Amino acid sequence: MADTPSPRIEPYHAPPGTRDVLPPESARWQALIRLFAGIVEAAGYGLVQSPMFEEIGVFRRMGEGTDVVRKEMYDFLDKGDRHLALRPEGTASVVRAFVQHRPPTPWKTWYAAPSFRYERPQAGRYRQHHQLGVEAIGSADPDLDVEVIALLSGFYERIGLGQVDLLVNSMGTPTDRRAYLDRLRSFLVDHLDDLAPDDREKVEQHPMRVLDSKRPATVAVTESAPRITDHLSDEAVAQFERVQAGLRALGIAFRVEPRLVRGLDYYTHTTFEFQSGALDAAQNTIGGGGRYDGLVESLGGPATPGIGFGTGIERVLLTCDAEGAFPPPVKPLDVFVVDVTGGDVARDLTAVLRRAGLRADRAFDGRSMKSQMKAADRSGAGFVAIVGEDERASGTVTLRDLRGGQGQHAVPADDLVANLNARLADPPAPRETP
Ligand code: HAM
């Protein structure tokens, strides 16, 4: 029977707005998470791992005024007809977990979590992004605001970012916020015709979002809009002043930005953003957060204050690229096993080496000596352990130092681990210069 050609299969691509993180970039990614975990765990924050999806109501409580909730959620009915949504951010899930489990307060938590928003993809804006964040629930002490801001500021500093500005604002108490909203709405109504057409429809329902707008016509209007910082209650002013005094005491530079309202509706009192001077202005916010003193209650818990931040791993790494900071870590293998006797020795020896805690790899598919040596070189291993017929017959391996000009040695196979450990403890010999 004649062979019929199989139909050509078009290769699939990752969906728009998503990306694969491959080696060596993934090692940088891991190192960033490890650094973050070290900083926040040293300040008493514990990891929370929550589901990637929740009942949609959990996220709706964040406020119907936000694009994240109204337009960008990945929601679906599961096979049991539950209306669920993929997490668009980390805070609501952690607050839902707090309400469900009622841990002792203050409950200080951190997460490294994928988040999903159906946004228009562009550099630094993805449909799946990843946030490193903290949430501290159960204390209204403004010194906790300072702690949270200092953690994020310290993280950027440890990565080596230099061009980062901290902007802070206060949204006041929920009563302050409501009164300000009314004042802002009537100002915007008075200037409706001067606003960019796309922003006019937000005035009635979501006046705060107009302050977020980057459209020049709108910015020209909002420059003279009432400022929330001029309409705060005494309680909110005292809270905000204590936060600013704390930042000054810790030597953290900041600027008060009364138009900083952030994209989410749950904020009260302190809000803050870190912006990078090294990124394009459209996507220059690398991290942000604030207080959400009403969110626990709105998710069915007792009135409990909370504060936290989220910082996008992708955006942080983009900033690192722009500033030449935080290169991928180099973690070469200790040893690469080259076996030209059929593969049994490579199979058994790599297992022994790995069990002893060494970083070891080998070639597969019975390649030639030349090809295996090439693979050893490419792997960046410090040593290559070569087994040919002679070595196999005498129970030895030929250990070659690839780090410097130390030549090679015959080592009994049984002594390989001890021998390698001793050599690895020695600094590599300097490479010979011709
Ligand atoms: P957010 O400002 O919406 O706040 O997001 C926090 C950070 O996540 C942003 O500063 C940015 O670095 C990153 N990010 C957000 N959306 C995208 C995207 N589409 N693509 C790439 N990166 C993105 C929150 O999500 C709050 N939950 C922060 C918070 C925690 N507030 C209190 N606690």
Short mmCIF file of all heavy atoms in Angstrom, two decimals, residues 89-91 111 117 119 124-126 129 131 134-135 262 264 266-267 285-290 292 308-312 315, ligand 1:
data_model
loop_
_atom_site.label_atom_id
_atom_site.label_comp_id
_atom_site.label_asym_id
_atom_site.label_seq_id
_atom_site.Cartn_x
_atom_site.Cartn_y
_atom_site.Cartn_z
N GLU A 89 -4.83 38.77 41.00
CA GLU A 89 -3.84 39.38 41.90
C GLU A 89 -3.83 38.57 43.18
O GLU A 89 -4.66 37.67 43.34
CB GLU A 89 -4.19 40.85 42.17
CG GLU A 89 -5.58 41.04 42.76
CD GLU A 89 -5.59 41.34 44.23
OE1 GLU A 89 -4.96 42.33 44.63
OE2 GLU A 89 -6.23 40.58 45.00
N GLY A 90 -2.91 38.87 44.10
CA GLY A 90 -2.74 38.00 45.25
C GLY A 90 -3.54 38.35 46.50
O GLY A 90 -3.83 37.48 47.31
N THR A 91 -3.91 39.64 46.66
CA THR A 91 -4.44 40.08 47.95
C THR A 91 -5.76 39.40 48.31
O THR A 91 -5.93 38.91 49.43
CB THR A 91 -4.62 41.61 47.93
OG1 THR A 91 -3.43 42.18 47.42
CG2 THR A 91 -4.93 42.15 49.30
N TYR A 111 3.95 35.58 49.21
CA TYR A 111 3.60 34.65 48.14
C TYR A 111 4.41 34.96 46.88
O TYR A 111 4.93 36.06 46.71
CB TYR A 111 2.10 34.71 47.79
CG TYR A 111 1.55 36.11 47.58
CD1 TYR A 111 1.63 36.75 46.34
CD2 TYR A 111 0.96 36.79 48.65
CE1 TYR A 111 1.12 38.03 46.17
CE2 TYR A 111 0.46 38.07 48.48
CZ TYR A 111 0.54 38.68 47.25
OH TYR A 111 0.06 39.96 47.09
N ARG A 117 -4.69 38.37 33.96
CA ARG A 117 -5.54 39.52 33.60
C ARG A 117 -5.63 39.57 32.09
O ARG A 117 -4.59 39.57 31.41
CB ARG A 117 -4.94 40.83 34.12
CG ARG A 117 -4.79 40.85 35.62
CD ARG A 117 -4.21 42.19 36.11
NE ARG A 117 -3.96 42.12 37.54
CZ ARG A 117 -3.44 43.10 38.27
NH1 ARG A 117 -3.12 44.24 37.69
NH2 ARG A 117 -3.26 42.96 39.56
N GLU A 119 -5.46 41.53 29.56
CA GLU A 119 -5.08 42.90 29.18
C GLU A 119 -4.53 42.88 27.77
O GLU A 119 -4.28 41.82 27.21
CB GLU A 119 -3.99 43.41 30.12
CG GLU A 119 -4.45 43.48 31.56
CD GLU A 119 -3.51 44.32 32.41
OE1 GLU A 119 -3.62 45.55 32.35
OE2 GLU A 119 -2.67 43.75 33.12
N GLY A 124 6.19 44.26 29.11
CA GLY A 124 5.94 44.52 30.53
C GLY A 124 4.50 44.36 30.96
O GLY A 124 4.15 44.61 32.11
N ARG A 125 3.61 43.97 30.03
CA ARG A 125 2.20 43.76 30.39
C ARG A 125 1.77 42.43 29.77
O ARG A 125 1.75 42.28 28.56
CB ARG A 125 1.35 44.91 29.87
CG ARG A 125 -0.07 44.91 30.38
CD ARG A 125 -0.80 46.20 30.03
NE ARG A 125 -0.33 47.34 30.81
CZ ARG A 125 -0.70 47.59 32.06
NH1 ARG A 125 -1.54 46.79 32.67
NH2 ARG A 125 -0.23 48.64 32.69
N TYR A 126 1.44 41.49 30.62
CA TYR A 126 1.14 40.14 30.16
C TYR A 126 -0.22 39.69 30.64
O TYR A 126 -0.80 40.27 31.55
CB TYR A 126 2.22 39.17 30.69
CG TYR A 126 3.60 39.60 30.32
CD1 TYR A 126 4.43 40.23 31.24
CD2 TYR A 126 4.07 39.44 29.02
CE1 TYR A 126 5.69 40.66 30.89
CE2 TYR A 126 5.33 39.87 28.65
CZ TYR A 126 6.13 40.48 29.59
OH TYR A 126 7.38 40.91 29.24
N HIS A 129 1.01 37.10 34.53
CA HIS A 129 2.25 37.62 35.11
C HIS A 129 2.41 37.01 36.50
O HIS A 129 1.54 36.28 36.97
CB HIS A 129 2.23 39.16 35.17
CG HIS A 129 1.30 39.73 36.20
ND1 HIS A 129 -0.06 39.87 35.99
CD2 HIS A 129 1.52 40.18 37.46
CE1 HIS A 129 -0.63 40.41 37.06
NE2 HIS A 129 0.31 40.60 37.97
N GLN A 131 3.56 37.60 40.56
CA GLN A 131 3.81 38.61 41.59
C GLN A 131 4.50 38.01 42.81
O GLN A 131 4.13 36.93 43.27
CB GLN A 131 2.49 39.22 42.06
CG GLN A 131 1.91 40.22 41.11
CD GLN A 131 0.73 40.99 41.70
OE1 GLN A 131 0.61 41.13 42.93
NE2 GLN A 131 -0.12 41.49 40.83
N VAL A 134 3.64 40.55 49.74
CA VAL A 134 3.38 40.25 51.16
C VAL A 134 2.00 40.81 51.51
O VAL A 134 1.53 41.76 50.88
CB VAL A 134 4.42 40.87 52.13
CG1 VAL A 134 5.84 40.48 51.76
CG2 VAL A 134 4.28 42.38 52.21
N GLU A 135 1.35 40.20 52.48
CA GLU A 135 0.13 40.73 53.08
C GLU A 135 0.29 40.58 54.59
O GLU A 135 0.65 39.49 55.05
CB GLU A 135 -1.13 39.97 52.63
CG GLU A 135 -1.31 39.80 51.13
CD GLU A 135 -1.46 41.10 50.32
OE1 GLU A 135 -1.76 42.16 50.91
OE2 GLU A 135 -1.25 41.04 49.10
N ARG A 262 -3.92 54.30 42.50
CA ARG A 262 -3.76 52.89 42.21
C ARG A 262 -4.98 52.32 41.51
O ARG A 262 -6.05 52.89 41.52
CB ARG A 262 -3.44 52.08 43.48
CG ARG A 262 -2.35 52.69 44.33
CD ARG A 262 -1.12 51.86 44.45
NE ARG A 262 -1.30 50.46 44.56
CZ ARG A 262 -0.91 49.58 43.62
NH1 ARG A 262 -0.30 50.03 42.53
NH2 ARG A 262 -1.08 48.32 43.77
N LEU A 264 -6.78 49.60 42.01
CA LEU A 264 -7.73 48.72 42.70
C LEU A 264 -8.51 49.53 43.74
O LEU A 264 -7.98 50.48 44.30
CB LEU A 264 -6.97 47.56 43.38
CG LEU A 264 -6.18 46.67 42.40
CD1 LEU A 264 -5.10 45.87 43.11
CD2 LEU A 264 -7.13 45.75 41.64
N TYR A 266 -9.83 48.73 46.75
CA TYR A 266 -9.97 48.41 48.18
C TYR A 266 -9.09 49.24 49.10
O TYR A 266 -9.08 49.05 50.30
CB TYR A 266 -9.72 46.91 48.42
CG TYR A 266 -8.49 46.28 47.77
CD1 TYR A 266 -7.20 46.76 48.02
CD2 TYR A 266 -8.63 45.17 46.94
CE1 TYR A 266 -6.09 46.15 47.45
CE2 TYR A 266 -7.52 44.55 46.37
CZ TYR A 266 -6.25 45.04 46.63
OH TYR A 266 -5.15 44.44 46.07
N TYR A 267 -8.32 50.19 48.55
CA TYR A 267 -7.34 50.88 49.38
C TYR A 267 -7.94 51.92 50.32
O TYR A 267 -8.88 52.64 49.97
CB TYR A 267 -6.26 51.53 48.52
CG TYR A 267 -5.38 50.51 47.83
CD1 TYR A 267 -5.41 50.35 46.46
CD2 TYR A 267 -4.56 49.68 48.57
CE1 TYR A 267 -4.61 49.41 45.83
CE2 TYR A 267 -3.77 48.72 47.96
CZ TYR A 267 -3.79 48.59 46.58
OH TYR A 267 -3.02 47.64 45.98
N THR A 285 5.68 51.10 36.51
CA THR A 285 5.42 50.74 37.91
C THR A 285 5.89 49.32 38.15
O THR A 285 5.37 48.38 37.55
CB THR A 285 3.92 50.85 38.23
OG1 THR A 285 3.52 52.19 37.97
CG2 THR A 285 3.64 50.52 39.68
N ILE A 286 6.87 49.17 39.00
CA ILE A 286 7.39 47.81 39.20
C ILE A 286 6.79 47.16 40.44
O ILE A 286 6.84 45.95 40.58
CB ILE A 286 8.94 47.77 39.24
CG1 ILE A 286 9.51 48.73 40.28
CG2 ILE A 286 9.50 48.09 37.87
CD1 ILE A 286 11.03 48.54 40.44
N GLY A 287 6.21 47.96 41.32
CA GLY A 287 5.58 47.36 42.49
C GLY A 287 4.66 48.36 43.15
O GLY A 287 4.87 49.58 43.02
N GLY A 288 3.64 47.87 43.83
CA GLY A 288 2.74 48.80 44.49
C GLY A 288 1.92 48.09 45.54
O GLY A 288 1.83 46.86 45.56
N GLY A 289 1.32 48.90 46.40
CA GLY A 289 0.49 48.28 47.44
C GLY A 289 -0.17 49.33 48.29
O GLY A 289 -0.22 50.51 47.92
N GLY A 290 -0.63 48.91 49.45
CA GLY A 290 -1.28 49.84 50.35
C GLY A 290 -2.13 49.12 51.37
O GLY A 290 -2.17 47.89 51.41
N TYR A 292 -5.72 48.09 53.14
CA TYR A 292 -7.08 47.74 52.70
C TYR A 292 -7.88 47.38 53.95
O TYR A 292 -8.22 46.23 54.19
CB TYR A 292 -7.05 46.58 51.69
CG TYR A 292 -6.07 45.47 52.04
CD1 TYR A 292 -6.43 44.45 52.92
CD2 TYR A 292 -4.78 45.47 51.52
CE1 TYR A 292 -5.55 43.44 53.25
CE2 TYR A 292 -3.87 44.46 51.86
CZ TYR A 292 -4.27 43.45 52.72
OH TYR A 292 -3.38 42.45 53.05
N GLY A 308 -0.31 45.43 52.28
CA GLY A 308 0.60 44.56 51.55
C GLY A 308 1.07 45.22 50.28
O GLY A 308 0.78 46.39 50.00
N PHE A 309 1.86 44.47 49.51
CA PHE A 309 2.28 44.94 48.19
C PHE A 309 2.43 43.77 47.25
O PHE A 309 2.49 42.61 47.67
CB PHE A 309 3.61 45.71 48.27
CG PHE A 309 4.80 44.87 48.70
CD1 PHE A 309 5.36 43.90 47.86
CD2 PHE A 309 5.38 45.05 49.95
CE1 PHE A 309 6.44 43.13 48.25
CE2 PHE A 309 6.48 44.27 50.35
CZ PHE A 309 7.00 43.31 49.49
N GLY A 310 2.47 44.08 45.96
CA GLY A 310 2.81 43.08 44.94
C GLY A 310 3.83 43.71 44.00
O GLY A 310 3.76 44.91 43.70
N THR A 311 4.79 42.92 43.57
CA THR A 311 5.76 43.40 42.58
C THR A 311 5.91 42.34 41.51
O THR A 311 6.02 41.15 41.81
CB THR A 311 7.11 43.79 43.25
OG1 THR A 311 7.98 44.33 42.25
CG2 THR A 311 7.80 42.61 43.92
N GLY A 312 5.83 42.76 40.25
CA GLY A 312 5.80 41.79 39.15
C GLY A 312 7.20 41.29 38.81
O GLY A 312 8.09 42.09 38.54
N ARG A 315 8.36 42.47 35.37
CA ARG A 315 8.75 43.89 35.31
C ARG A 315 10.02 44.17 36.06
O ARG A 315 10.84 44.99 35.65
CB ARG A 315 7.62 44.75 35.86
CG ARG A 315 6.79 45.23 34.72
CD ARG A 315 5.85 46.29 35.12
NE ARG A 315 4.59 45.97 34.47
CZ ARG A 315 3.49 46.62 34.65
NH1 ARG A 315 3.46 47.63 35.49
NH2 ARG A 315 2.42 46.27 34.00
P1 HAM B 1 -1.10 45.92 41.07
O1 HAM B 1 -0.52 47.28 41.05
O2 HAM B 1 -2.30 45.66 40.25
O3 HAM B 1 -1.40 45.58 42.59
O4 HAM B 1 0.00 44.87 40.64
C1 HAM B 1 1.23 44.79 41.36
C2 HAM B 1 2.39 44.66 40.39
O5 HAM B 1 2.20 43.53 39.54
C3 HAM B 1 2.55 45.81 39.41
O6 HAM B 1 3.27 46.86 40.02
C4 HAM B 1 3.32 45.18 38.29
O7 HAM B 1 4.70 45.09 38.63
C5 HAM B 1 2.75 43.78 38.28
N1 HAM B 1 1.70 43.63 37.25
C6 HAM B 1 0.39 43.91 37.36
N2 HAM B 1 -0.26 43.63 36.21
C7 HAM B 1 0.67 43.15 35.35
C8 HAM B 1 0.65 42.66 33.99
N3 HAM B 1 -0.47 42.61 33.29
N4 HAM B 1 1.81 42.25 33.43
C9 HAM B 1 2.97 42.30 34.13
N5 HAM B 1 3.05 42.73 35.40
C10 HAM B 1 1.93 43.16 36.00
C11 HAM B 1 -1.89 44.41 43.03
O8 HAM B 1 -2.07 43.44 42.34
C12 HAM B 1 -2.15 44.40 44.52
N6 HAM B 1 -2.64 43.06 44.88
C13 HAM B 1 -0.93 44.80 45.32
C14 HAM B 1 -1.22 44.77 46.79
C15 HAM B 1 -0.91 43.79 47.65
N7 HAM B 1 -1.88 45.70 47.45
C16 HAM B 1 -1.98 45.33 48.71
N8 HAM B 1 -1.43 44.16 48.84
#
